[in-house]
Amino acid sequence: MIRRLPGARLWLVAFVGLWLLFAGWAFAAPYDGPPDEQQHALRAAAIMNGDVLAGADRGQLVPDSLYRRPFCFPMRLTVPANCAVEPGGSETDQEYWVAAARYNPVYYAITGWPLGFEPNWRGIVASRLLNGAAMAALIACAVVAAVRWTRHKAMLAGVVVAVTPMVAHLGGAINPNGVEIAAGLALFAALLSLVHDQREGINRAAVALAGVSASVLVTPRFAGVLWLAVIVGAVLIPSAKARLRELARSRVVRIWSGVVVLAVLASVGWTLLANTAEVGGTDKGQTVARILRGEIFDMWPIVTQQMVGVMGWAETPLPGMVYAVWYMAAGLLLLGALVLGNRVDRWRLSALFLATFAPLAAAEVLLANTTGYFNQGRYFLPGAVGLPLLAAYVMSRRGLTPENLRSMTRLLAFLLVPIQLICLPWTMARWSSGWISLNPYNGSWFPHYGVTLPLVLATLGTAVLFFLYWRASRVPASSPPPPPPVEAKETVEDAAPAQTVSV
């Protein structure tokens, strides 16, 4: 039994556990079972065909073997997936309308290139696995930041809560939204450790992680620039001026800041060139009062569930107890931070909450008459994943002992990690039979590579993750005392001495 996980081994264990869990979803889902998957697969295949910039009609040359087969079971809970024809057959290129035709090509070139050579089940699964590997790598970096770069490993409890079943579902899909979420999580972890925890010197690994994750965040979709502004604003404002000056003088910080600026300019340039943010539709004649009622009373309860997980095309709800347990876990961190934190902590948490949810909610209200209600819970996760990380970090600074944090992290792992293993067969059974159950072996549709393989992969993944959370949360024999509480009148964090950073 290893007594301490060094940084590289810690990353590897986290990566393996996450990727195995994501691979379970990758092998389990029917084609177009994950949200919008076919459109993203078509976009990847078109890019590999050299059709990068779509015209005004969004028509692209794509293999006929990947096109709609038909669209029959998504958003129809009682319809099993056997109503659709399996991908494959003729690989002749045809021009089809592709909803994602204007999306930035970088994500598809990196994760979707197998579809250019194998526009069939092999290419689909390979692309899903590459997407899951990218997400697992970023989240594993967040785990290292939480355990090695901050006091008392506090943010690890936030990671346990932030990686919801919906994140795992997207980890087994062809969809850039999952990579956005993982990048947001990694960026939060890097910035919190870099700006608020390390007081002497510059952690070059944290700077590199912040630069890479920020660049990844802004690339797939135009909303990434918004999420970058939200995350950086919530972490940096307010912060200790001396620390910000030290970071600004660092050459490595300036270099990576330049990389991020170039990534932002490239993202904005593509958005303008491809007109990605174009909004269309017809006037639905709804009054402002009706739109607000629908937004507040109808949509938001659904959105909160979707952040935990409403699988498929947001048509497969999980057992009610899953939401109750996950809400309690998130509430433990958020309410605990609000109670224990000082005025600046409460401001930061409140600002992050409002900046995460208000812009997209306001856009939906303004556009509901033409586009309808378009928000889903997963759209908010690139920013929302920072809330449990920040809350856990605040609790570590305002009185909780290392032993308290260890117990909290292990309790959350005990409650939440097994839920990941329940959600997969639950969703597989829906695809298999159109019935809600935990028996994916009973139905008329089965995964292309069998029912057992995804279940075994997910079981191994959750076992590795539980071991990781349990071992990584242990308290060192000579743990430092918690920092003294900060008076309410202060506007920056206390200047407690830094620990030595182990990378």
Side-chain angles (χ1 to χ4, degrees), residues 4-15:
R4 186 174 185 272
L5 291 172
R9 190 181 302 173
L10 174 66
W11 182 90
L12 182 60
V13 172
F15 173 82

Side-chain angles (χ1 to χ4, degrees), residues 445-463:
W445 177 87
F446 301 103
H448 184 76
Y449 295 98
V451 176
T452 303
L453 176 61
L455 296 177
V456 169
L457 291 172
T459 301
L460 292 174
T462 52

Side-chain angles (χ1 to χ4, degrees), residues 53-54 102 267-276:
L53 186 60
R102 298 180 183 176
S267 177
V268 173
W270 177 265
T271 298
L272 296 176
L273 175 66
N275 198 19
T276 306

